[in-house]
Structure formats: C-alpha cells, structure tokens
Amino acid sequence: MSTDPDPPRIGPDNLRRTAVVGLLALLLLAAPVAGLLAWEPVDEGNVKVVKKWGATTGTVFEPGAHFVNPVSQSTSSLSVRPQSYTMSAQQNEGQQSGDDAIRVLTEDGLRTDIDVTVRYRVDAGKAVNFYRKYRTLDTAEERLIRPSIRSVLRTEAGRLPVTEIYTGEGQTKLKLAAEQELADEFSNDGLILEAVQIRNVELPAEYAKAVEQKEITEQRRQQKQSELEVEKLEADRKEIEAQGEAEANRIVSESLTDEVLAQQYIQRLDETDTVYIPVGGDGYPQFVRNLESDSEAGSSGSTTTGQSSGNSSTDSTQS
C-alpha cells in the first residue's frame, strides 16, 4: 500500500488568479513595445502625413513628439526644406547624368541650349494635398517640375530672337515668365516656388562664332580708330613744330648778314685751339673776301655817285 500524498487540486479560484497574473505580466511586457510603436517623433525641417488604414486622414504632424494608434494608424514623412532641381548640359551637374539642358528654338529658328535650376519646397500647410498627388519629391520633380519648366522656357524662348536671348535682358525675361507660370502650377499641388535661375544660355556654334568674329572686328576697328587719332595728333604736333621751326629759321635768316656771321666766327676763334678757315681758290679766306667784296661794292657805288655829281657840276659850269 502506497503512502505518497495526493497532488493538490487546482480549483476555479486558482485558475482565475493564474490568469490575472499572466495577463498582468503580458501587459507589463507589451506596454514598452506598444509605447515605442505609438511614439511618433518628427524632426526639424520635416512633417508627417497621418494615415489610417493606409488612407490620408488630413492630419499633419509638425516637428515634435506625437502619438498614434500603432494598430490602425501610420505616417509618411515629407521634407519641407528648400529643394533644387537642375537641368544642365554639364556632366553630373543636374539630377540626370549627361547633357540634360533644355533645347529651345528662338524666334528666328535657331536652336539654343538653356541650363536652369528650379528652387522650391513643400508647403507644410498643403502637405496632405501634395502627398495625395505625388507621394515623394522625386515623383513631383519628374511629373510636375521637369515638364513644366521645359514647356514654359520653350514657349518664352520662341518669342525672343537669338540676338536677345543670351543677353541679361533676355535671360531676365525667361526667368520672370518661368516664375510666373510655375508659381501658379505649384500652388495648386502643395509646392512653393522660391526661384528660377537661368544659369547659362549656350548659343549655336555657328552663331557664337559669328558673334565672336563680330566682337573681334569691333575691337580691331576701335583699336584702328585709336591709332588713327594718335597719328592725327602726332601729325598735328609735327605740323605745329615744323611751322614753329620754319618761322624761327625765317627770323634767323633775316637777321644773319655776312658781317654778323664773320663776327660770330671771330668770336669762336677764342674758344678753341684748332681753327679751320675756309679759303678760296687763291688761298685767301673766303669770308674776308666776301666782306671785302661787299666793301668794294659799297665804295664803288659811292664813287660812281660822286662822279655823277661832279659831271653835273662841270656841265653846269660850262653852261
């Protein structure tokens, strides 16, 4: 005969106590997990669109701490920081690799490439509207921004001649037209347009060469004009200088007689040890001969005059 004691019997009260203890333990374990699932922080520069069973509720969480029902609710984050979308001919400069410039036709039918950057951001107050249409920024860039900027620039460029489109005034017209058109489209889709930047206008090769040649020709013309002006001034200066020299020579020529030259020559004899005396064919100093010739001519003139007077007296006496 066995003497072991009978096992304890589990009554209804014991079962209830066990169930309560198990439930409390489960709640204690699940509470942190549920709290983590319900905790929904939003970082600065972002918003979160609240969804219930996958559909937007119209609620948007601003930066800060929020809670959701982890069973039925979820969120999608959107950046509201400024964004930029670039289309450029430069390799890896824009969102797409390779040549992604906008090709347009000007008013006179010439093809021109335009590099452009669109700066925008999501409107936090219309984040739900934006999310319903595009879900992500990449989708909005492909479906809205890219086709819109291409369309408006092609339309506006078609109103401008190629001689204007590459100037500052022409690029300003492109910028203003694009900003006006895109601002209206963006506002309807939950975006805010901040700016359109026309970064570069690439002219057709043949036209760019013609413009460059024209600029070179103009520079050469201006240089030649400057040279001609300098030459004219120099000619005027030389003419005035020549006139002055001629006048001076005339005055000197009128003042220099044989006597003056002889006197200056004699004065120079005292200033040097070596004397060069020009002589005539008979070895007689030429300047002395000239002086004597002048003196003889003067004396002869006086004698002739005297004789004429004498003859007149004689004739008178005889009469």
Side-chain angles (χ1 to χ4, degrees):
M1 178 178 289
S2 175
T3 59
D4 294 335
D6 295 335
R9 293 181 180 181
I10 300 176
D13 294 337
N14 291 334
L15 288 175
R16 281 195 295 271
R17 283 196 297 272
T18 302
V20 170
V21 171
L23 181 60
L24 291 175
L26 181 62
L27 290 175
L28 290 176
L29 293 175
V33 177
L36 290 176
L37 293 176
W39 175 259
E40 196 69 34
V42 180
D43 295 333
E44 186 67 30
N46 296 273
V47 295
K48 286 187 176 181
V49 177
V50 180
K51 299 179 291 183
K52 186 174 183 179
W53 306 115
T56 57
T57 62
T59 301
V60 176
F61 287 163
E62 300 286 344
H66 304 273
F67 292 93
V68 296
N69 183 345
V71 177
S72 62
Q73 291 183 321
S74 61
T75 60
S76 291
S77 180
L78 289 174
S79 174
V80 293
R81 293 188 177 93
Q83 308 290 326
S84 63
Y85 186 80
T86 298
M87 301 174 69
S88 173
Q90 299 297 322
Q91 183 75 19
N92 298 325
E93 192 175 48
Q95 267 65 18
Q96 296 191 10
S97 61
D99 185 356
D100 192 36
I102 301 176
R103 290 174 174 80
V104 302
L105 288 178
T106 62
E107 184 183 45
D108 36 14
L110 293 178
R111 195 196 78 171
T112 301
D113 293 343
I114 301 176
D115 293 352
V116 62
T117 294
V118 179
R119 299 191 179 279
Y120 71 98
R121 59 185 173 88
V122 174
D123 187 349
K126 298 180 180 179
V128 174
N129 188 28
F130 173 83
Y131 182 80
R132 286 172 179 170
K133 287 190 174 183
Y134 302 109
R135 292 291 193 273
T136 66
L137 295 176
D138 291 340
T139 303
E141 290 174 351
E142 288 298 320
R143 289 173 49 192
L144 174 63
I145 298 175
R146 184 180 180 85
S148 296
I149 190 63
R150 286 164 64 97
S151 176
V152 67
L153 287 184
R154 285 174 174 172
T155 300
E156 187 62 24
R159 301 190 180 106
L160 300 175
V162 70
T163 55
E164 183 179 354
I165 194 171
Y166 75 96
T167 64
E169 182 180 356
Q171 293 184 27
T172 299
K173 289 182 179 180
L174 294 175
K175 167 186 170 67
L176 295 178
E179 288 179 345
Q180 182 177 359
E181 183 71 21
L182 294 184
D184 295 337
E185 294 186 21
F186 281 20
S187 63
N188 296 328
D189 292 342
L191 291 176
I192 297 175
L193 178 68
E194 294 193 335
V196 173
Q197 297 176 329
I198 305 299
R199 304 172 67 245
N200 183 50
V201 175
E202 187 71 23
L203 295 175
E206 62 276 12
Y207 184 79
K209 185 176 181 180
V211 171
E212 181 181 1
Q213 188 61 41
K214 181 179 179 182
E215 183 66 22
I216 292 175
T217 302
E218 178 63 19
Q219 290 178 358
R220 288 178 177 174
R221 187 193 67 78
Q222 293 178 359
Q223 182 179 2
K224 192 64 177 178
Q225 182 67 25
S226 299
E227 291 175 355
L228 289 175
E229 291 177 356
V230 171
E231 291 176 359
K232 184 177 183 303
L233 291 175
E234 182 65 15
D236 292 343
R237 185 191 66 79
K238 289 181 178 180
E239 181 180 357
I240 295 172
E241 182 179 355
Q243 291 175 353
E245 290 179 355
E247 181 65 17
N249 290 336
R250 184 188 65 79
I251 296 172
V252 171
S253 177
E254 291 177 355
S255 65
L256 291 178
T257 63
D258 290 340
E259 290 80 0
V260 172
L261 292 174
Q263 181 65 30
Q264 290 182 357
Y265 178 75
I266 294 170
Q267 290 176 355
R268 295 294 186 271
L269 294 178
D270 295 334
E271 299 175 4
T272 179
D273 296 332
T274 303
V275 178
Y276 296 92
I277 301 176
V279 297
D282 56 359
Y284 197 71
Q286 186 65 38
F287 77 94
V288 176
R289 180 179 295 279
N290 292 340
L291 293 176
E292 289 178 349
S293 298
D294 292 341
S295 298
E296 290 175 356
S299 298
S300 174
S302 299
T303 303
T304 302
T305 303
Q307 291 175 355
S308 298
S309 300
N311 292 337
S312 299
S313 299
T314 302
D315 292 342
S316 176
T317 302
Q318 292 176 355
S319 299

